[in-house]
């Protein structure tokens, strides 16, 4: 996830200090990806180094404010317009776990799948409940609609993601069953008999002499009587 661009998006709305950026970031994403203040200030320092933000004075409480620069606005516009690169997908712990569990001694991979499926379905139910709460807050107008709509979009992405994960786990289990059946059939299949070598001769075999040619087989010569 691009914390760098997330902070730029918040700074486009006006100068802010570190703790304020962290609070607004978590409010916008529903604390799905929590940040710590140190991470925020480290990112701000890199943004300042790259000329994307600049110190913008202090607020009445003495907090150092940061403001987005024109170069930062250009970078943010490009980020919005640029599709997310999927050529190098982030590492997924579940995929790695199942890949390592295949053939691992003493590991029941189907039990691993079933355990994960239970956790995935529970997460899906939790996200669905939070989605209902977000919709209620939006419809009632009792909270900041901008943050609730943003949180709703994040929740729906998580719901779709867990639904896809549950389907993938079902597919993995079916795939493993089919591969197991194929391996069993291959193991039970009788070995094909080897073809005999026509030129081979057993040790106890004796050569059979060729039959002597008969009279009719002999070539006709001048001495052969004519009938």
């Amino acid at each position: 996830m691009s914390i760098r661009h997330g902070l730029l998006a918040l700074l486009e709305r006006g100068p802010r200090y570190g703790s304020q950026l962290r609070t607004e970031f978590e409010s916008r994403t529903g604390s799905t990806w929590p940040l710590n203040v140190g991470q925020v200030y480290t990112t701000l320092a890199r943004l300042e180094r790259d000329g994307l933000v600049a110190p913008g004075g202090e607020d009445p409480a003495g907090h150092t404010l940061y403001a987005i620069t024109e170069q930062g606005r250009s970078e943010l516009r490009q980020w919005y317009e640029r599709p997310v690169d999927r050529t190098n997908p982030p590492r997924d712990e579940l995929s790695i776990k199942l890949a390592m569990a295949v053939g691992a001694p003493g590991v029941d991979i189907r039990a691993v799948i079933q355990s994960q499926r239970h956790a995935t379905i529970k997460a899906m139910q939790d996200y669905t409940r939070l989605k209902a709460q977000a919709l209620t807050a939006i419809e009632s107008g009792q909270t900041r609609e901008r943050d609730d709509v943003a949180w709703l979009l994040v929740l729906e992405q998580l719901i779709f993601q867990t639904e896809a994960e549950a389907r993938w786990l079902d597919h993995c289990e079916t795939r493993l069953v089919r591969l197991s059946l194929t391996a069993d059939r291959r193991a039970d299949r009788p070995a094909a008999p080897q073809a005999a070598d026509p030129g081979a001769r057993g040790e106890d075999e004796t050569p059979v002499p060729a039959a002597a040619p008969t009279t009719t087989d002999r070539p006709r010569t001048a001495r052969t009587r004519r009938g």
Side-chain angles (χ1 to χ4, degrees):
M1 184 196 60
S2 180
I3 300 173
R4 172 188 179 96
H5 293 98
L7 297 185
L8 285 176
L10 293 174
L11 288 173
E12 190 180 32
R13 299 168 58 186
R16 281 160 172 72
Y17 56 89
S19 297
Q20 188 178 11
L21 286 168
R22 182 193 66 173
T23 300
E24 292 189 14
F25 185 94
E26 293 183 350
S27 176
R28 185 68 66 88
T29 61
S31 299
T32 304
W33 302 282
L35 299 178
N36 59 61
V37 175
Q39 189 176 14
V40 171
Y41 278 107
T42 298
T43 305
L44 286 172
R46 292 172 180 169
L47 291 171
E48 182 179 0
R49 177 200 63 192
D50 296 337
L52 304 180
V53 303
E58 295 183 349
D59 67 355
H63 298 113
T64 300
L65 299 174
Y66 292 85
I68 190 171
T69 64
E70 287 304 317
Q71 185 178 347
R73 294 181 192 279
S74 176
E75 170 68 21
L76 184 60
R77 297 275 84 73
Q78 293 177 26
W79 180 60
Y80 282 137
E81 296 169 359
R82 184 172 59 244
V84 175
D85 186 9
R86 299 296 186 188
T87 57
N88 294 309
R91 294 182 182 89
D92 180 75
E93 182 180 356
L94 178 57
S95 299
I96 295 173
K97 180 189 291 188
L98 293 188
M100 297 302 165
V102 174
V107 177
D108 184 353
I109 189 170
R110 294 185 65 181
V112 175
I113 291 174
Q114 291 173 3
S115 175
Q116 182 61 49
R117 183 189 291 111
H118 176 76
T120 300
I121 292 174
K122 183 180 183 304
M124 191 189 312
Q125 293 170 344
D126 292 340
Y127 294 147
T128 302
R129 184 175 61 255
L130 291 172
K131 175 185 174 180
Q133 295 175 0
L135 285 171
T136 300
I138 293 172
E139 293 171 355
S140 64
Q142 296 177 353
T143 58
R144 290 180 294 180
E145 185 175 351
R146 183 199 299 262
D147 289 347
D148 287 325
V149 171
W151 173 221
L152 178 63
L153 295 179
V154 171
L155 277 171
E156 289 176 334
Q157 189 272 341
L158 294 172
I159 291 171
F160 290 140
Q161 190 176 49
T162 50
E163 287 177 346
E165 183 174 283
R167 290 196 301 271
W168 178 67
L169 290 169
D170 291 340
H171 167 78
C172 288
E173 190 169 33
T174 302
R175 175 69 69 190
L176 291 172
V177 170
R178 289 178 179 174
L179 292 176
S180 177
L181 292 175
T182 301
D184 291 343
R185 285 195 298 267
R186 190 180 297 115
D188 294 340
R189 185 182 305 163
Q194 295 182 353
D197 186 354
R201 180 189 301 166
E203 295 180 355
D204 55 348
E205 294 180 358
T206 56
V208 178
T214 62
T215 303
T216 55
D217 294 331
R218 294 171 184 172
R220 187 180 297 274
T221 63
R223 294 182 180 182
T224 303
R225 292 183 179 179
R226 298 177 183 274

